Amino acid sequence: METEPPTVEWTGDGLRLLDQTVLPGRVEYVVVRDVGTLVDAIRRLVVRGAPALGVAGAFGVAIALREAAREGWDAAALAEAVTRVREARPTAVNLAAGVDRVRPLMGAGAEAVAAEAQAILDEDVRGNRAIGALGADWILRRLGDRPLRVLTHCNAGALATAGWGTALGVVRELHARGRVEMVYADETRPLLQGSRLTAWELARAGIPCAVQPDGAAPSTLLRGLADVAVIGADRIAANGDTANKIGSLGVALACAAAGAPLVVAAPWSTVDTALPDGRGVPIEERPAAEVLTWNGEPTAPAGVAAHNPAFDVTPARLVTALVTETGVLEVSSGQTPGAARPARG
């Protein structure tokens, strides 16, 4: 069993990002010492996953401060650079939250900002361990203390976080208890985060898995081949509506039809209590080339338009349980994040 290399790591003068665009074939890194490189890395999905984006965004403010000192930026140029980092991807609330948490420390300098960003990173790892344990406990109480078949969508593992993972953190904990029979990993079109990243993590951890086409997920659930679906989230509204990688809504609908629990695992920082419901979630539209080409070659006729939303929103009524580091909310039973008060400390 192998452990994943760090997704986001502060080197003292910049960030070292594990390049997730070249996995699983190669393990390479992108070194970031300027805002332009960081924004590009976020948009190209070199670094991705809501919790990891929150950490990268916080460190990005330190990078902006260092670049401002090198280049002689005025206050307006520095503020514009920080805003560019904050808005590099609109759906994941953690990116903005990470930037906003360290902004008040900008006057104290880059080192103070980097120290707070490191605290966010460390908190994420601890929180993910708690999510894993709480989620495993809930699932085994609900389904019985036995080996389970788990379906997951996209990648909500160590690669999407500062370590351990959210949805895959639950799977890792179940595996550590000897309670995983099989994981069905949706491939996650069009960029294949499930097959390239989730399967890579599961294989390295020694967890049995099978990659399946996204379109197979409803059949897998309705045929009774999976007992539970566990997914991550990029933004959760106060009423429990959940934004996650496109295709998650189909999984949720299939879970409801099959009578299987849909478990959403995410840190409390992903909950946007200022957002009443999922109608206000900004849905990122990705480049057309992601669905109209493959490896640079066209896969559709010339002139055809592309519809490429990166996320969808699952209504709260379809979310059986939301697991955060603060506890488990049974959302479809009326326990909403907006009414809950997270633990402090």
Side-chain angles (χ1 to χ4, degrees), residues 158-244:
L159 293 171
T161 66
W164 192 248
T166 52
L168 285 196
V170 176
V171 174
R172 289 176 189 274
E173 179 67 25
L174 288 170
H175 175 67
R177 301 182 191 184
R179 295 298 181 265
V180 174
E181 179 180 321
M182 173 60 70
V183 177
Y184 291 97
D186 290 355
E187 62 178 352
T188 324
R189 294 288 301 161
L191 298 180
L192 305 179
Q193 293 98 324
S195 58
R196 292 191 305 105
L197 306 179
T198 294
W200 185 74
E201 287 196 43
L202 293 171
R204 288 166 66 92
I207 301 174
C209 68
V211 174
Q212 65 180 1
D214 291 359
S219 174
T220 298
L221 286 157
L222 287 167
R223 290 171 63 196
L225 300 179
D227 303 298
V228 59
V230 186
I231 64 172
D234 287 82
R235 188 182 297 230
I236 301 166
N239 74 334
D241 290 352
T242 298
N244 193 49

Side-chain angles (χ1 to χ4, degrees), residues 5-8 16-31 40-42 44-48 159 196-197 200:
T7 305
V8 182
R16 186 173 181 255
L17 302 176
L18 179 65
D19 187 350
Q20 299 188 39
T21 68
V22 299
L23 288 172
R26 305 192 305 276
V27 176
E28 296 179 358
Y29 298 89
V30 173
V31 176
D40 176 70
I42 291 171
R44 289 195 301 112
L45 310 186
V46 169
V47 59
R48 41 150 299 281
L159 293 171
R196 292 191 305 105
L197 306 179
W200 185 74

Side-chain angles (χ1 to χ4, degrees), residues 199-342:
W200 185 74
E201 287 196 43
L202 293 171
R204 288 166 66 92
I207 301 174
C209 68
V211 174
Q212 65 180 1
D214 291 359
S219 174
T220 298
L221 286 157
L222 287 167
R223 290 171 63 196
L225 300 179
D227 303 298
V228 59
V230 186
I231 64 172
D234 287 82
R235 188 182 297 230
I236 301 166
N239 74 334
D241 290 352
T242 298
N244 193 49
K245 176 57 63 178
I246 191 73
S248 300
L249 177 55
V251 171
L253 289 165
C255 281
L262 175 70
V263 177
V264 175
W268 187 262
S269 57
T270 305
V271 176
D272 185 356
T273 54
L275 190 69
D277 57 55
R279 290 174 294 180
V281 174
I283 301 298
E284 177 186 0
E285 290 281 343
R286 299 285 301 170
E290 290 179 355
V291 294
L292 298 181
T293 66
W294 181 254
N295 238 7
E297 295 295 324
T299 56
V304 171
H307 178 53
N308 189 17
F311 302 93
D312 56 26
V313 177
T314 296
R317 67 179 184 277
L318 300 177
V319 178
T320 313
L322 167 62
V323 184
T324 75
E325 71 277 21
T326 69
V328 180
L329 297 175
E330 295 188 356
V331 176
S332 61
S333 298
Q335 297 179 356
T336 63
R341 187 170 68 180

